[in-house]
Amino acid sequence: MKALQIITLAMLGLLTMSSSCEKESQNAVAPEPCSPSMVAITAVPGLSASPACLADATLEIRQSSKQIITSAAQFRTAYTCPNPPVIDFGSFTLLTGQTKLPSGGRVISQQITRSCKDYKYTVVVQQGTDAAVTTAKYHALIPRIATDAKVEFEVQILP
């Protein structure tokens, strides 16, 4: 008889715990998705005036290259300026890229958005009317990103 009472009490206890867990899961709030926000772009003194400092990548026409630079060593490899600007890579990350165009061109706009840990760097390039093939180069200095962050580069080429 005592064994039957113990088993009954144990069963009631399990049912009560099961019911309370079910209520908790019904009351749980789903985490809010990260909404995209704009990221401030800081100009790099001396770099905008010397875009040729960025070593040309071997590209086909309308092809782009991109780099996420997080250290001075990476910067020295990518940029060959005689007097390179000093960048605090402990506080900043440099996003840089270039796109080969068939008839010249220039960067019209650029923006960076962030959603959770992920970033999207959007660059709009306007083709020119030159007879020579040229490379449009662009960069953005932003607050340091996490090492596991993903960066998507989107280059839009306008006629």
Side-chain angles (χ1 to χ4, degrees), residues 54 57 59 63-69 78 94-99 121 138 151-155:
L54 176 60
L59 300 170
Q63 189 179 28
S64 298
S65 72
K66 62 184 185 229
Q67 290 181 306
I68 301 167
I69 300 175
L94 181 63
L95 305 178
T96 185
Q98 51 188 308
T99 302
Y121 182 17
Y138 35 89
V151 180
E152 174 189 350
F153 285 69
E154 178 186 3
V155 179

Side-chain angles (χ1 to χ4, degrees), residues 49-83:
S50 304
C53 290
L54 176 60
D56 285 327
T58 304
L59 300 170
E60 298 295 323
I61 292 179
R62 297 185 181 278
Q63 189 179 28
S64 298
S65 72
K66 62 184 185 229
Q67 290 181 306
I68 301 167
I69 300 175
T70 59
S71 70
Q74 289 176 329
F75 181 80
R76 285 190 301 273
T77 300
Y79 284 84
T80 57
C81 302
N83 296 314

Side-chain angles (χ1 to χ4, degrees), residues 22-109:
E22 196 173 292
K23 286 179 187 174
E24 283 179 21
S25 67
Q26 289 174 355
N27 294 334
V29 177
E32 290 186 33
C34 298
S35 54
S37 60
M38 298 296 288
V39 175
I41 298 174
T42 303
V44 179
L47 199 56
S48 295
S50 304
C53 290
L54 176 60
D56 285 327
T58 304
L59 300 170
E60 298 295 323
I61 292 179
R62 297 185 181 278
Q63 189 179 28
S64 298
S65 72
K66 62 184 185 229
Q67 290 181 306
I68 301 167
I69 300 175
T70 59
S71 70
Q74 289 176 329
F75 181 80
R76 285 190 301 273
T77 300
Y79 284 84
T80 57
C81 302
N83 296 314
V86 176
I87 298 173
D88 176 8
F89 286 105
S91 301
F92 294 98
T93 296
L94 181 63
L95 305 178
T96 185
Q98 51 188 308
T99 302
K100 196 168 203 172
L101 300 168
S103 57
R106 63 187 176 89
V107 175
I108 293 178
S109 67

